[in-house]
Amino acid sequence: MTTTRLPRLTPWDPATAHRFVTSDGTALHIEDSGGDGLTVILLHGWTLDHTEWHRVVHTLTGAVNRRLRVISYDHRGHGGSAPARPGTATIAQLADDLAELIADRVPEGPIVLVGHSMGGATIMAFAERHPDLLTRIVGTVFVATTSGGLSNLTFGLPRWLTPQVVKAERRVNLRLSKLKRRSLSRRTATFRPMLRFLVFGKKANRRDIADTAEQLGRSNPASIAGFRISLGEHERREALAALRAKPAIVLAGGADRLLPHQHSRIIADALAAELVIYPNAGHMLNVERPTQVAERIAHVIALAQSREG
């Protein structure tokens, strides 16, 4: 069997940034493949940026369908985007940013939304806040995400340790909110052991762990602290009902310590969608299993197009 050598994640380069400015004046970094077919919008996770999708984009616009238009961007407070303005580091605001981006950059034509972790939560908030745009959405893919219950995370530790884990996380979040962006970026190497344990599965690639730490280092500390609070308030299982009639698939890592696959099962049940669990993969499915993730996205696209046809 021939093994395809995947490219490493694209280095972040502000010189190549494309800007989309929201109605409140926040500049977002956006990447657009420019295809003339159906549009796929990829939404990244908390403390990450659009580069986590690079390998998936490489497969979608190459081996899958060169006509696909694939858009990925950095949420406010992440990557090459501006920090979240006071009071805007919320999942609801990310949903509004997505709605504005669609209105400006994809004013017509079918769209498939793909969300990883906080990106999946953003899709749920989008369905809740912008029902008028749902006729444009012909399919969804939820990757290692949740519809709620984040106040009870155990991070793969024994349940009896939960109170101590919650207190420790709150202290970390408070300290994080007071850091400067430059200070955070200098500490990326210290995050690697934590990321290796928390978001990667078995046999994780060291370069992938380092790239993920670098994405964290590009985040705005105050913004990501605010988003963590908003994630704790995220309870949107009921919002999934608006997406139930559309082709969908839910993907999870069997070794995900951050969001165990039980979270994905709840989403799959709410959508009446297929749930695919990758036994030895962690939270970073689109990095650990990029070809498989791209194939599942392509499957949803094919289902959506068959219905349209």
Side-chain angles (χ1 to χ4, degrees):
M1 186 173 82
T2 303
T3 301
T4 302
R5 186 177 180 81
L6 294 167
R8 60 163 295 186
L9 302 182
T10 301
W12 177 76
D13 182 3
T16 63
H18 301 280
R19 280 161 46 97
F20 169 73
V21 181
T22 66
S23 59
D24 71 351
T26 304
L28 306 183
H29 174 103
I30 177 172
E31 295 289 334
D32 189 337
S33 71
D36 61 358
L38 176 147
T39 300
V40 178
I41 300 180
L42 304 172
L43 303 160
H44 69 75
W46 181 60
T47 77
L48 302 168
D49 61 34
H50 76 279
T51 63
E52 71 157 306
W53 291 110
H54 174 63
R55 292 173 183 162
V56 174
V57 174
H58 176 80
T59 302
L60 284 175
T61 58
V64 173
N65 187 339
R66 296 183 185 277
R67 289 193 58 199
L68 281 179
R69 183 185 182 192
V70 181
I71 292 175
S72 57
Y73 65 96
D74 297 340
H75 295 305
R76 57 178 64 208
H78 294 74
S81 295
R85 293 167 180 259
T88 69
T90 67
I91 307 303
Q93 181 62 59
L94 296 187
D96 294 348
D97 290 347
L98 173 59
E100 289 188 21
L101 185 144
I102 289 173
D104 185 82
R105 298 297 179 94
V106 199
E108 56 185 26
I111 299 169
V112 169
L113 296 177
V114 183
H116 171 229
S117 196
M118 187 172 74
T122 300
I123 295 174
M124 297 174 211
F126 174 83
E128 181 180 71
R129 296 171 66 84
H130 299 280
D132 55 312
L133 291 176
L134 292 184
T135 56
R136 302 277 314 285
I137 309 306
V138 297
T140 55
V141 181
F142 292 91
V143 183
T145 188
T146 182
S147 59
L150 293 181
S151 59
N152 299 315
L153 293 179
T154 64
F155 307 109
L157 298 172
R159 178 65 63 178
W160 61 268
L161 279 176
T162 298
Q164 292 91 324
V165 169
V166 170
K167 288 180 182 178
E169 194 207 358
R170 286 175 179 169
R171 287 197 297 270
V172 170
N173 208 42
L174 180 61
R175 290 181 61 186
L176 187 64
S177 67
K178 297 177 180 179
L179 283 178
K180 299 294 183 183
R181 195 167 195 163
R182 184 178 300 176
S183 177
L184 182 65
S185 66
R186 287 198 300 260
R187 302 184 184 192
T188 56
T190 66
F191 300 138
R192 295 178 191 177
M194 173 193 71
L195 292 171
R196 171 66 186 86
F197 172 81
L198 196 59
V199 299
F200 281 91
K202 296 180 180 180
K203 299 181 180 179
N205 183 286
R206 290 184 180 180
R207 184 64 254 175
D208 292 343
I209 297 169
D211 284 333
T212 302
E214 288 166 12
Q215 290 177 59
L216 172 55
R218 293 194 288 267
S219 301
N220 177 270
S223 297
I224 61 176
F227 280 118
R228 178 61 187 94
I229 294 172
S230 184
L231 282 165
E233 299 167 349
H234 167 66
E235 296 292 341
R236 292 188 169 90
R237 182 178 180 181
E238 292 183 1
L240 292 164
L243 300 169
R244 187 178 174 93
K246 303 174 186 293
I249 197 163
V250 184
L251 310 179
D256 188 344
R257 291 187 175 91
L258 182 61
L259 293 177
H261 60 79
Q262 288 81 359
H263 287 262
S264 294
R265 189 172 300 281
I266 290 171
I267 297 170
D269 288 346
L271 293 172
E274 179 184 5
L275 170 64
V276 181
I277 300 174
Y278 298 93
N280 296 319
H283 190 65
M284 298 298 292
L285 268 182
N286 42 1
V287 173
E288 297 177 83
R289 303 288 188 273
T291 302
Q292 293 93 326
V293 170
E295 288 171 348
R296 295 295 177 172
I297 295 171
H299 178 64
V300 168
I301 292 170
L303 287 175
Q305 291 177 327
S306 68
R307 290 193 183 186
E308 292 288 310

